[in-house]
Amino acid sequence: MCGIIGVTGAADALDILLDGLERLEYRGYDSAGVALVGDGAIFQARAAEGTHSVASLRAMTQLAPVTQVAGIGHTRWATHGQPNETNAHPHLDCSGAVAIVHNGIIENHLELAESLVAQGHVLASETDTEVLAHLIEDRLRDGVDLEEAVRRALAVVRGAFALVVMSSAEPDLIVAARRISPLIVGVTEQASFLASDIPALLDRTRDLIALEDDQLAVLRPGSVVITDLEGVLVTPTPLIVEWDLEATQRGGYDDFMSKEMAEQPRAVADTLRGRIDATGGIVLDQLDLTDEQLRAISKIVVVACGSSYHAGLVAKYAFERWARIPTEVDIASEFRYRDPVLDDTTLVIGVSQSGETVDTLQAMRHAREDGAHLVVVSNVVDSSMAREADGVLYTRAGPEVCVASTKTVAAQMVALELLALHLAQVRGTLEDATLAEHLVALGELEGLLTIALDRGDAVAAVAEGLADASDFFFLGRHAGFPTALEGALKLKELSYLHAEGYPGGELKHGPIAVIEPGCVVVAVATGGPLREKMLSNVSEVKARGATVVIVAADGDEEVASLADFVLMVPGTDELLSPVVDIVPLQQLAYHLARHRGLDVDRPRNLAKTVTVE
Ligand code: F6R
């Protein structure tokens, strides 16, 4: 959730911290802070003004030490304790000589705090994090150095952490450690850096390393040493970063969401690029599963959250229809608590744009314990999930800054459908000609997305017509159902309006009771065998006074008589249609949010990467 930045060996440490924190703002945060070592002491500044906190920090830091040896900074999204200044990071020990920032959750913080208080420590905040500062202070009293004190402190901690520590006693040293929450370190000749996310460091260095679980990094100016938590040296693998900083900026659009929606054709094309050879063979070389293993799969289980879960639901139709493999799609946070039946013929696919969502990561770990094969579909190279899975299928959507996922979801659907066709190819469940047709249809999505996106003005006009509405139902059937769920999620998270997604046929089993004049029903009816039935469901809500918006395929003249508004999209293969059909629903959510004066890139209460359970 939170963002971390740190540097040692740069005279302009404070500027580096504040610039880095600004680049991390997209993750969502409610408060921010920095600490600097210089002039023999630790200087600390914190602000809790929501999304203005980093700007406030800039104003507060004229008092910073003239000599800046090292510094750490943090943007916080509250998990324990209110989002106020006292709870903002960095936190200090009793003496004010140790400063720490932390992402994750210390599960045993209450018992640790109790024993620290009994020993005379004074804890100033309500956070789970602060106990770490006092634990380290306590270990330092044994006469060990900071590195050893951090190791000893972590030995009694349960939970997840990306922890970064400085001390005025060892001014140019930063000690960092990771378990579950991501942490990246980087180095140049003069300075060393660390951050929770790659974009925060890209303008400083491309020599980056992602810490693995239970690793500790010792940063000094121009040098980084990585060990495990016992102190055994490890040889890190350098991180390959293909993105440039420019790619993380808005590129002329009003906001990241518009930019990222517009990037969907490229995201989809890049995800397919190089994965279909000249003979029509599908090449997924990082999958790391032999054809024999792929043929032995008896069941697929997709685990994911939010929009990635919706991409998984879309893929279920493809895995079952094309590859004839029974498929379950689970909300990751529920998966491991239902005692799922898994074995070495189960393929578990984690889907996550960030590759860091802790619920999905833990679901995958559970599946590993039960012997399943693990594959992850991730947009972030070397993400935690990518490192833990047997195989990876990277979506190549580029960095997504807007909190609401758009281009990454399109890329996920396409990656998963390509995987379904690969399984079908290896297992021989589709005729060659049929498979070739599907591959052609996948290749055409780039152009169809461009056409759908170009109709944004028509969607803006529909949004204008719905500006006073506050209740939305999104209906779909078959592959249109996940599209409806995703349309409802986009609308509620961006506009804060009430929106629900339902399978059209489920309406009469309850939800229809709330349909009345003023309700808006958005029906996805772009084709497939259930189009007629979908239109019958639309008639039912129309008869009860709902305002009806229909998403229909080009050439479908019939829908006009049933709808108050029609959103036309280019038609495609019914299992691929969600990739295109979601575009006007993204745009509808976008325009309704803008109409309400809301920040589309940073919806309230949400964060881009959810690294807490
Ligand atoms: C909604 C959205 C979230 C994410 C969910 C999973 O627009 O972005 O619902 O899809 O938090 O995140 P990842 O894909 O990073 O695992």
Side-chain angles (χ1 to χ4, degrees), residues 304-310 351-358 360 377 385 400 402-406 408-409 412 486 489-490 493-494 606-610:
C305 305
S307 295
S308 299
Y309 168 73
H310 299 154
V351 184
S352 172
Q353 60 81 21
S354 63
E356 302 294 345
T357 301
V358 76
T360 310
V377 174
M385 283 179 219
E400 189 174 66
C402 176
V403 167
S405 302
T406 52
T408 54
V409 186
Q412 285 168 345
E486 177 62 4
L489 178 61
K490 287 281 113 49
E493 70 182 329
L494 292 169
L606 296 174
K608 184 70 187 161
T609 307
V610 185

Side-chain angles (χ1 to χ4, degrees), residues 420-431:
L421 289 174
H422 180 54
L423 286 162
Q425 199 162 53
V426 172
R427 296 161 68 99
T429 49
L430 278 182
E431 298 283 336

